């Protein structure tokens, strides 16, 4: 974990990163064993191997996130993550939001569990590129809002700096757009002509009704995702 932290921070921060990772490794290892996160099967062993090799940078970030939340008195949720390849915390790290960092999920409800699982899988798929790609997309969409052209301004009006970020940038960054697309398929079936959150609806001449994806906190998740 120290080597991965050093890779992210660069040579000058390798020592500090290694110390932080070493401190976080103990509660992380305890939590993984406590909730029995990985199933003792070939599939579970494979997930463990990916999380602690290719996706090690994300796992390190998740371990630090987990340690910080445990220090705040937050509790593990073994029933929600046993043999699921992730570690769940009952409480939200950020009030009103479910948050996923690496393979650690905080504050997820049953309604948004599969959304958060998408982020866990994204981290495994992109490995050390995952967090830099997210950061780059946030930076790009903050200063160059190309999403403005296809944003659902009626359903998600941008009324100030906060709404610019949480209704605009956040809903359109690639990893969130991917997860919201999955939410639509889960709720309405594959191939359904219903846009994901923040997307302008396309008119379907075969239908007399129109649908707008509602507020993510109320309809899609029960707690808005914040990854």
């Amino acid at each position: 974990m120290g080597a991965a932290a050093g890779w992210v921070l660069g040579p000058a921060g390798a020592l500090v990163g290694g110390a932080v990772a070493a401190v976080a490794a103990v509660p992380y290892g305890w939590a993984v064993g406590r909730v029995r996160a990985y199933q003792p099967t070939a599939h579970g062993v494979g997930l463990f191997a990916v999380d602690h090799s290719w996706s090690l940078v994300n796992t390190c970030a998740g371990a630090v996130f987990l340690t910080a939340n445990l220090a705040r008195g937050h509790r593990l949720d073994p029933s929600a993550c046993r043999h699921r390849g992730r570690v769940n915390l009952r409480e939200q790290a950020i009030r009103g939001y479910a948050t996923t960092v690496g393979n650690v999920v905080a504050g997820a409800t049953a309604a948004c569990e599969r959304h958060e699982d998408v982020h866990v899988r994204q981290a495994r798929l992109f490995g050390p590129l995952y967090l830099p790609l997210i950061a780059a997309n946030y930076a790009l969409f903050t200063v160059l809002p190309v999403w403005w052209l296809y944003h659902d301004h009626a359903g998600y009006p941008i009324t100030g700096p906060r709404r610019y970020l949480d209704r605009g940038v956040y809903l359109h960054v690639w990893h969130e757009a991917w997860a919201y697309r999955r939410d639509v398929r889960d709720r309405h079936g594959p191939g359904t002509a219903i846009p994901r959150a923040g997307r302008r609806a396309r008119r379907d001449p075969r239908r007399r009704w129109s649908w707008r994806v509602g507020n993510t906190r109320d309809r899609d998740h029960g707690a808005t995702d914040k990854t």
Side-chain angles (χ1 to χ4, degrees), residues 134-217:
I134 291 175
N137 198 178
Y138 266 109
L140 176 64
F141 275 11
T142 298
V143 301
L144 187 64
V146 295
W147 49 265
W148 193 273
L149 300 175
Y150 51 85
H151 180 70
D152 179 8
H153 292 277
Y156 299 84
I158 307 300
T159 56
R162 178 179 176 182
R163 294 307 186 190
Y164 178 87
L165 293 174
D166 66 13
R167 289 182 175 177
V169 177
Y170 160 74
L171 288 178
H172 298 292
V173 289
W174 69 271
H175 71 301
E176 291 297 347
W178 179 344
Y180 280 116
R181 189 181 298 114
R182 171 62 179 271
D183 292 347
V184 169
R185 290 200 300 269
D186 282 351
R187 290 173 62 86
H188 306 286
T192 306
I194 299 174
R196 61 182 177 268
R199 284 276 187 168
R200 183 183 297 126
R202 294 182 179 179
R203 291 187 177 276
D204 187 341
R206 297 171 298 177
R207 300 182 183 272
R208 293 185 177 181
W209 51 267
S210 62
W211 180 280
R212 180 190 305 153
V213 177
N215 181 282
T216 58
R217 180 173 307 196

Side-chain angles (χ1 to χ4, degrees), residues 12 21 27 38 50 79 88 96 103 110 129 164 183:
Y38 297 95
V50 171
S79 62
N88 280 52
N103 60 344
L129 303 177
Y164 178 87
D183 292 347

Side-chain angles (χ1 to χ4, degrees), residues 20 23-28 62-72:
V20 172
V23 170
V26 174
Y28 170 78
V64 173
F65 176 69
L66 174 69
T67 301
N69 280 279
L70 290 175
R72 295 170 62 188

